[in-house]
Amino acid sequence: MGHPLWPIRDLVVRTPVLELRMPDDAELCALAALARAGLHTSGPYPFLQDWLTLDTPDYERGFYRYHHSVIAGLRPEAWNLELAVFVDGEPAGFQGAFARDFPTLRVADTGSWLGAGFQRRGLGTEMREAILHLLFEGLGAETAASASRIGNEGSIGVSRRLGYRENGRHRITFGDGPAEEIRWRLDRAEWEPRRRDDIELLHLTPCLPDFGLVGDQPAS
Ligand SMILES: CC(C)(COP(=O)(O)OP(=O)(O)OC[C@H]1O[C@@H](n2cnc3c(N)ncnc32)[C@H](O)[C@@H]1OP(=O)(O)O)[C@@H](O)C(=O)NCCC(=O)NCCS
């Protein structure tokens, strides 16, 4: 039986090589340790928040509390869906998607990270394709957006490989200070030719109200 109160806990996006879903408590602790062990390996500091301090001096506790606050704060009018990435059942990182007023705008942004040992194996591309499938196929998005700090070649590489177009550059504040970021945009018509038929969306229908999609049906 599905979760009686919070169906989004059961949501799974499955590709032939990885799975996206909410982590349980033990998995979240494992992900905190993975993040602590290192996820920013080369190039400029990639995140907007200062992940090294979060809201407590204790990194893993801060990480754990942050993810619980994200789950608790998920609202239909402004959602931030942080799904853990599992490779052969092992927690490998996070793939997020977030949106405001999604039923009207049909635009969602994405963000992600992988533990250092999981990077540069094509997984970043695969998990982005998985979340794009959820957004376009499952939730009826019209546009997916993303952003990369200039010099973050992994993030830039994933967006370029998946056909995103550059959508302006902005100077913003990262965790270590101000820098330029590239905004990326992928519209439905650009995604359609790349639509995959080997990505499964499991237990999506009961979650639709949590994305603000009352009365909608998954597009697939
Ligand atoms: C961003 C991230 C998730 C990408 O995942 P990944 O699994 O390493 O990326 P992939 O293996 O799918 O590579 C995608 C492309 O980027 C290139 N690339 C990846 N990392 C790179 C690096 N460090 N330097 C240069 N090119 C890189 C790959 O060669 C590939 O290019 P190709 O299409 O020409 O073959 C990962 O690098 C990461 O977790 N980085 C730290 C956190 C971060 O920066 N998050 C994004 C914040 S917006």
Side-chain angles (χ1 to χ4, degrees):
M1 197 187 95
H3 198 291
L5 302 178
W6 204 214
I8 220 156
R9 285 221 69 102
D10 300 322
L11 178 64
V12 179
V13 185
R14 183 178 294 155
T15 85
V17 285
L18 55 78
E19 219 172 72
L20 306 182
R21 62 172 170 79
M22 282 196 184
D24 67 20
D25 226 43
E27 290 163 343
L28 188 56
C29 292
L31 283 155
L34 184 70
R36 168 74 142 206
L39 50 91
H40 168 227
T41 49
S42 64
Y45 185 79
F47 301 114
L48 299 186
Q49 304 90 350
D50 183 358
W51 270 49
L52 299 177
T53 51
L54 292 169
D55 62 347
T56 100
D58 176 332
Y59 186 104
E60 277 107 324
R61 265 169 59 84
F63 178 102
Y64 178 90
R65 290 178 52 176
Y66 168 75
H67 277 282
H68 274 282
S69 75
V70 167
I71 293 171
L74 212 143
R75 290 173 293 122
E77 61 275 22
W79 41 263
N80 182 4
L81 180 70
E82 287 280 7
L83 297 177
V85 181
F86 295 88
V87 178
D88 296 327
E90 196 184 340
F94 265 96
Q95 174 65 64
F98 46 99
R100 268 183 191 280
D101 203 9
F102 181 79
T104 310
L105 300 176
R106 301 278 167 171
V107 179
D109 244 281
T110 64
S112 63
W113 62 266
L114 285 166
F118 293 94
Q119 294 178 14
R120 302 212 69 172
R121 291 161 42 183
L123 295 168
T125 305
E126 182 79 3
M127 64 209 222
R128 183 84 69 83
E129 286 193 278
I131 203 80
L132 288 175
H133 199 78
L134 173 65
L135 294 173
F136 285 118
E137 181 82 14
L139 302 181
E142 288 301 328
T143 298
S146 193
S148 318
R149 183 168 176 170
I150 288 182
N152 184 351
E153 298 304 330
S155 172
I156 291 170
V158 171
S159 292
R160 281 203 197 288
R161 187 163 164 170
L162 294 179
Y164 287 65
R165 282 177 290 122
E166 242 195 85
N167 188 26
R169 295 184 179 210
H170 303 271
R171 189 164 168 81
I172 59 162
T173 306
F174 283 84
D176 64 348
E180 291 265 318
E181 73 166 8
I182 307 172
R183 300 281 313 160
W184 302 101
R185 173 178 182 150
L186 182 73
D187 290 333
R188 172 174 280 278
E190 294 158 325
W191 168 81
E192 288 283 359
R194 298 168 185 270
R195 176 200 290 262
R196 287 181 39 181
D197 61 6
D198 60 350
I199 301 179
E200 293 175 86
L201 302 175
L202 306 175
H203 315 299
L204 177 60
T205 304
C207 306
L208 292 176
D210 287 319
F211 294 105
L213 300 172
V214 182
D216 282 45
Q217 290 298 315
S220 48

